[in-house]
Amino acid sequence: MYGKKIDDRYGDIDMKTALTKVCKEPPPQHEFSYRWFRGPEVDFCAYEDCPRRKSFSPHDWSMHALGGSGCSLQCVSTQSSLFKSTFCNSDCFCKAWKTQYTVKDSKLKGGDTMQSYSRLNGLATLASTPLFQRKKSTMDDDRDEASVGSTGANSNNSNNSAALPNNPYSSTGTPNPYSRSTSYTDYGAPQFEDANPIEEWVEISRDQIYIPTEADVGRKLKLEAAAYSIETGELLMRRVIKTDLVLSRAPDPAKRNLVTAKVSGPRGGERFRIVTYNILAEIYATQQQYPYCDFWALSWDYRFQNIIREIIDACPDVICMQEVQADHYESHIYNALSEAGFEGVYKQKTRASMGLAGKVDGCALFWRRSKFHLVESYSIEFNELASRQATQVLGMNPRTEEGISYLNRLSKDNVAQLVVLELAQPTMSTRSNREPINQVCIANTHLYSNKDFPDVKLWQTWQLLQELETFVMSRSHNLPLMICGDFNSTPDTAVYDLLSRQAVHPGHPDVNMNHGDNSSPNILPDAMSISHSFQLGSVYSTVMGEEPRATNYTSQFKGVLDYMWYSANNLRPLSCAPVPEEKELTKHGEALPSTQYSSDHVMLISDMQIMGSRPP
């Protein structure tokens, strides 16, 4: 039965009409009208010491701050002084309950018995006191009005719906066939006969799009949208959608203090500040991957503002970014950083987009216009390097089983960027520095993420270093080099050893992988051949004496994946910003991302100085 084609199960029935809710006839030509309303001020929590009575910061309205529930409660015990009081979470309710006192019983209509219960997202948890008679909830009716985008709402809007306002006419006076006899009911508001809340909604806009202002903070918004026939003016459809509480902008990012390195030796040349940051692409920022983070805090619109403010607040001269989504680079990131005085280049991964155009991530590299000019810019595709290695170096036929297996193992779509920047105000020659260095080479990359492929990461690192050697040596033996990015490798891996020690120990597990059934090819050459000639140092290890505890901090993984490497013969780190302590990282969330930190990675910051002079 379930294996048959769906067409076979329905015989001669026209499938286009049998299994679709689309109208048989196209809708008449129509136009839309929009009306935005601002709701009244409401005390969202009756507990006097609740921080949410006065604060509408996202930090105070997250699941973490609300104790993980995100649900409002209401006391409906008529024998309590808290009767009809609403609380933002169970913690505030319990604290307020300690201050409540019993009031005298009142007569009920019809002599009904009473019970006390707490209203929780429309559900009732029964207690031992008599039940108070209430109206039939509008949530029991069909819902034409939905509460959306709330901190206390599920992503399924049907759980947070209310009825349409009792308004038989539209905003233009046209009779409204969709009007209901049920009055408009606020989410979480009392549902009792004697409550009779007065709700004053003020019209604020008739545009299709409305951007909340400071006047909207702490209130709810409502949108009335209607479609009218162009020919007859008849109302075709009307919908009313209500948002939940409008929160204020997230507070500015916490200041990252710099730790100064113990610098010795001759006085150096020009200084510049560089940062590297994996900003977490929207295509990966899902509720399934980060269930501890509020869905609205995972949204790109929220995270983008925090990320850009955090980057600009660091006052960098060079910015290396990973997991930059292609469409967001065009629509958000480039424009924002361009206005802040930066110029940049972008390289997306070589795989196809995930569904819609632009839904693929990549690397972006920016520099401050007043500090640097672009001299050269190149991109590196590891898929192309793998194909070249297989055919030109190893002599493989890419169509044979061996060639296909080799390329499948290495083709992971990762990329790297390479730019040469020149100082906008070059350092002048002096007696002690006759040929000052005025250029610096910056490489930015994001290696393969799967932890079960350490050999692929090592191969990518080795190939990147080979390409950089060819590039740098062909221009100047003394061209300063920095390699930044997300290497997806901890300090105990062969990737770290290769970068820091110029070679890999032959006995390292990453070099001697046992694939068991030999299903995966050996993609690495002899360990003695995996080497490079750069003298590289890790910025954080040099300044702090060790790598940070973590640069990637999630509930599933906590460790160092991001690094800033520099050529030790002509660059030196002057300072770096330590990664915040675990207590600070978890202040507003179980892990990253959170309402405070909008990526699952921590941005690395360093001040660098160019050393030495050009060789004669």
Side-chain angles (χ1 to χ4, degrees), residues 465-466 469 473 502 531-536:
L465 291 167
Q466 296 296 309
E469 275 188 341
M473 296 304 180
Q502 298 180 299
S531 62
H532 65 90
S533 60
F534 294 118
Q535 295 179 7
L536 299 176

Side-chain angles (χ1 to χ4, degrees), residues 418-440:
L418 176 63
V419 300
V420 176
L421 302 176
E422 186 172 61
L423 292 170
Q425 298 179 350
T427 303
M428 304 303 293
S429 62
T430 63
R431 289 184 178 180
S432 59
N433 190 3
R434 296 184 181 276
E435 294 288 338
I437 300 174
N438 291 311
Q439 292 185 349
V440 60

Side-chain angles (χ1 to χ4, degrees), residues 553-596:
Y553 194 95
T554 68
S555 61
Q556 296 87 16
F557 174 83
K558 299 173 179 63
V560 180
L561 301 178
D562 308 86
Y563 303 93
M564 307 171 79
W565 299 93
Y566 66 97
S567 52
N569 60 312
N570 46 31
L571 284 174
R572 67 179 177 189
L574 301 177
S575 62
C576 70
V579 172
E581 296 292 334
E582 186 174 18
K583 181 180 180 181
E584 177 66 20
L585 294 177
T586 58
K587 183 177 180 180
H588 297 293
E590 175 186 333
L592 306 186
S594 64
T595 57
Q596 180 180 12

Side-chain angles (χ1 to χ4, degrees), residues 17-31:
T17 59
L19 300 176
T20 180
K21 293 184 179 180
V22 179
C23 295
K24 297 180 181 180
E25 299 180 0
Q29 290 187 340
H30 56 277
E31 59 183 2

Side-chain angles (χ1 to χ4, degrees), residues 450-478:
N450 195 318
K451 63 181 179 61
D452 297 326
F453 288 72
D455 55 336
V456 174
K457 301 176 193 180
L458 178 58
W459 184 89
Q460 290 178 340
T461 306
W462 175 50
Q463 287 295 307
L464 174 62
L465 291 167
Q466 296 296 309
E467 291 294 308
L468 290 174
E469 275 188 341
T470 303
F471 180 86
V472 172
M473 296 304 180
S474 65
R475 283 151 181 82
S476 170
H477 289 280
N478 207 30

Side-chain angles (χ1 to χ4, degrees), residues 538-560:
S538 169
V539 169
Y540 273 70
S541 179
T542 302
V543 176
M544 305 296 297
E546 60 181 359
E547 297 293 350
R549 291 187 178 182
T551 62
N552 178 227
Y553 194 95
T554 68
S555 61
Q556 296 87 16
F557 174 83
K558 299 173 179 63
V560 180

